[in-house]
């Protein structure tokens, strides 16, 4: 592999940084030596109606029980809104940037307070009580954040379902948590195209009824004014309802361990799991990570491009930033509409200081060409972040050099829906960077690498990534199925939280996530991260994106099958195929030599941008009769092309 370049912390990154390397070392040591003392102190970063006296009460063995700050009383919406009003009532809380570049608005903390209180009163008026589950199926509009915060204000538990999910998926989630109240919009708008959210909701409710869950109320935000079905008595307009109630609503006093939200996430088996997060520990953890990971300072404009339908949207668009009194930007659109300059234009328009996005977006925009970036200024940027999948060094360097003009640190943040917040990450003023490494653990996080037999790997090495002790932001259970929680996360390696990810630790103690362990392939007895081969392919200047899977190989055990998307304007040829094979051999070594390379004009991705390797594996195995569920794909049509041009035809 080519030598890893270290990007040292620059003096200007350190100058006003909240945490320098010395502080990181000191705090980290304290956080693992005396977690009780450490979190007793940092738990105070949020306001409590009744202070906690107990801090950590957690066990990763037996029945597994996770409790933090358990005798404290607090409220999430109070912490995200009310406590800021005196100092920053007129400060912008949310900048909303519409799908259409001429559509935007700003909402102050005072306004946020009124919107959330009114909506909370609407929920109460319709009989929603503490502990009830409310499903939120919304486009990226401020009302989505109001809805989440209104639930937390009265102690209802929200389940946000990504607006790109089908009626079937929505129904499954409604039924699983027996949610009888749904908040949606007439239509969403993305890249100029309407998305029929209300119609999908109607279909989902009909499906849910077969699962014996009857939705009684649907609250509908008018977003586009498009035509939708309407069920009298069940459906009500948001604007009518909020106008009919008082603009003030007292926040409910919640126990730290009261449920805050459920978020469904796919695992390697079975139906999506309802990951349950609770109140106090979650808010402490996401506000703390938001502040230190992004080196957030008062007055910064912060933009995370995720959708609120994913955990990144929960923790780092809504809860973390608002708990810190930040100005958070919410973007309704897509990276390439009206053009591939959109992200960079929005950064200039709103003078964004901190920008957080996904590697898949970075690679796509890199493929579109530098000119789209270079015509913008991006002078306001101070920190760049990535999340969601391993970032290949090539894309990392492009992000650093072209987007950040070599002036801005990149935080590659590793975490999961289950972890609630960021666990492994650089801190901008403290951590020397290596392109492609999530670097070091955040305070209180104790990663451990174990081999397949559970033996702990010390020092530099490769293994399955586990976390050995609890942190305040972690999930508490799988909703309605605690046994599944214990089985999925704590039984593979007894007494440890198993992440499902593979990981390498280098000689400097830096962590390199290699991808899900089910994506690791074994070629002639050599273990190899598919991400490693992908990274090598993408480092070729004609390649924009690559996905690599294993397939059964008579001699080697597994062969390496590569799907490759070329940069705009490049032509596929047999010579290029040969060139790519020798390029990978050169980058990694002969053992990584691709057996098959297929030109792929598009890759099958979930709507959150994750490549669905299960499908690619099946096609590589020439077993596409059993592709399984492809309904969550952003563009199911790419699959037909991949099948037609597969390289392993029997
Ligand atoms: C936050 C989020 C979690 C899985 C995780 C891992 C991958 C996320 C990553 C990363 C390498 C990073 N992942 N961040 N891999 N580097 N910085 O994405 O949650 O949707 O639950 O996905 O995503 O494989 O296990 P979620």
């Amino acid at each position: 592999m080519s030598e890893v370049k270290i990007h040292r912390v620059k003096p200007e990154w350190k100058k006003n940084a909240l945490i320098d390397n010395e502080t990181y070392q000191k705090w980290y040591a304290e956080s693992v030596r005396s977690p009780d003392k450490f979190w007793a102190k940092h738990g105070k970063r949020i306001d409590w109606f009744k202070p906690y006296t107990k801090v950590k009460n957690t066990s990763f063995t037996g029945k597994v029980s996770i409790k933090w700050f358990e005798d404290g009383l607090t409220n999430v919406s109070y912490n995200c809104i009310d406590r800021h009003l005196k100092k920053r009532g007129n400060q912008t809380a949310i900048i909303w940037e519409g799908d259409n570049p001429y559509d935007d608005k700003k909402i102050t903390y005072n306004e946020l307070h009124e919107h959330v209180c009114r909506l909370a009163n609407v929920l109460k008026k319709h009989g929603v009580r503490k502990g009830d589950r409310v499903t939120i199926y919304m486009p990226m509009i401020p009302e989505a954040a109001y809805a989440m915060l209104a639930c937390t204000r009265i102690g209802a538990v929200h389940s946000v379902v990504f607006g790109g999910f089908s009626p079937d998926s929505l129904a499954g989630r409604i039924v699983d948590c027996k949610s009888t109240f749904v908040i949606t919009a007439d239509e969403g708008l993305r890249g100029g195209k309407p998305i029929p959210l209300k119609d999908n909701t109607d279909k989902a409710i009909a499906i849910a009824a077969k699962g014996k869950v009857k939705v009684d109320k649907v609250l509908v935000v008018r977003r586009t004014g498009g035509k939708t079905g309407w069920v009298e008595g069940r459906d009500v307009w948001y604007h009518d309802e909020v106008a009919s109630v008082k603009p003030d609503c007292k926040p409910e006093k919640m126990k730290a361990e009261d449920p805050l939200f459920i978020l469904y996430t796919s695992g390697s088996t079975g139906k999506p799991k309802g990951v349950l997060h609770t109140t106090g520990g979650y808010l402490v953890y996401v506000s703390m990570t938001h502040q230190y990971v992004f080196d957030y300072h008062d007055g910064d404009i912060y933009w995370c491009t995720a959708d609120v339908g994913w955990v990144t949207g929960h923790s780092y668009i809504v809860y973390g930033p608002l708990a810190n009194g930040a100005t958070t930007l919410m973007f309704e659109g897509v990276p390439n509409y009206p053009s591939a300059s959109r992200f960079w234009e929005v950064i200039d328009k709103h003078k964004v200081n901190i920008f957080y996005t996904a590697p898949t977006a970075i690679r796509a925009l890199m493929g579109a060409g530098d000119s789209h970036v270079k015509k913008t200024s991006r002078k306001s940027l101070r920190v760049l972040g990535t999340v969601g999948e391993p970032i290949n060094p090539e894309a990392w360097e492009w992000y650093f050099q072209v987007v950040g003009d070599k002036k801005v640190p990149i935080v590659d943040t590793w975490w999961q829906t289950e972890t609630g917040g960021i666990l492994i990450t650089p801190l901008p003023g403290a951590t020397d960077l290596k392109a492609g490494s999530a670097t070091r653990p955040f305070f209180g996080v104790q990663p451990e690498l174990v081999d397949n037999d559970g033996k702990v790997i010390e020092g530099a090495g490769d293994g399955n990534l586990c976390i050995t002790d609890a942190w305040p932001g972690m999930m508490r259970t799988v909703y309605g199925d605690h046994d599944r929680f214990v089985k999925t996360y704590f039984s593979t390696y007894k007494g440890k939280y198993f992440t499902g990810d593979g990981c390498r630790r280098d000689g400097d103690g830096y962590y390199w996530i290699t991808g899900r362990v089910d994506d690791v392939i074994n070629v002639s007895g050599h273990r190899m991260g598919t991400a490693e081969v992908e990274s090598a392919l993408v480092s070729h200047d004609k390649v924009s994106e690559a996905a690599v899977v294993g397939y059964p190989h008579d001699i080697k055990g597994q062969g390496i099958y590569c799907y490759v998307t070329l940069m705009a304007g490049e032509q596929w040829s047999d010579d290029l195929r040969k060139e790519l094979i020798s390029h990978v051999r050169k980058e990694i070594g002969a053992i990584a030599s691709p057996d098959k390379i297929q030109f792929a004009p598009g890759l099958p991705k979930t709507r959150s941008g994750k490549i669905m390797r299960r499908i690619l594996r099946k096609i590589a195995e020439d077993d596409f009769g059993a592709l399984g569920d492809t309904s969550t794909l952003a563009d199911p049509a790419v699959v037909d092309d991949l099948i037609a041009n597969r390289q392993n035809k029997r």
Side-chain angles (χ1 to χ4, degrees), residues 1 81 96 123 129 172 361-362 414 461 568 595 629:
M1 222 172 26
I81 309 170
W96 177 74
L123 294 176
R129 299 280 172 264
I362 296 168
W414 174 84
D595 296 280
D629 182 13

Side-chain angles (χ1 to χ4, degrees), residues 299-302 351-355 380-384 408:
D300 279 343
I301 308 290
Y302 165 89
K351 307 275 178 297
V352 171
N353 306 110
I354 302 165
F355 178 70
S380 53
L381 286 174
R382 228 189 60 238
V383 176
L384 292 171
V408 181

Side-chain angles (χ1 to χ4, degrees), residues 228-338:
T228 70
W230 201 260
V231 177
E232 277 313 324
R234 187 197 70 184
D235 301 347
V236 287
W237 283 112
Y238 178 97
H239 55 265
D240 289 340
E241 291 295 311
V242 293
S244 75
V245 293
K246 292 214 180 79
D248 209 358
C249 169
K250 233 178 112 186
E252 195 75 29
K253 290 193 172 75
M254 302 299 290
K255 293 194 192 114
E257 286 303 334
D258 278 337
L260 177 64
F261 66 81
I262 300 165
L263 185 55
Y264 287 86
T265 189
S266 324
S268 36
T269 54
K271 280 195 305 181
K273 293 182 283 284
V275 169
L276 183 85
H277 284 286
T278 58
T279 301
Y282 172 82
L283 196 66
V284 167
Y285 197 77
V286 296
S287 69
M288 183 157 168
T289 44
H290 171 261
Q291 182 180 9
Y292 294 131
V293 172
F294 300 106
D295 194 41
Y296 168 77
H297 286 69
D298 243 13
D300 279 343
I301 308 290
Y302 165 89
W303 180 17
C304 165
T305 68
D307 190 285
V308 290
W310 310 115
V311 73
T312 307
H314 285 57
S315 301
Y316 299 112
I317 293 177
V318 179
Y319 294 122
L322 294 178
N324 290 335
T327 298
T328 182
L329 194 151
M330 236 179 134
F331 177 44
E332 187 185 34
V334 294
N336 57 358
Y337 177 84

Side-chain angles (χ1 to χ4, degrees), residues 265-266 310-312 356 359 386-391 412-419 424 436 438 499-501 512-516 608 610:
T265 189
S266 324
W310 310 115
V311 73
T312 307
Y356 190 31
T386 76
V387 59
E389 50 181 322
I391 180 162
D412 173 356
T413 64
W414 174 84
W415 59 295
Q416 311 175 298
T417 304
E418 293 89 337
T419 70
I424 303 182
T499 65
D501 277 325
W512 300 72
I513 309 295
T514 48
R516 304 293 300 194
S608 69
K610 288 210 168 69

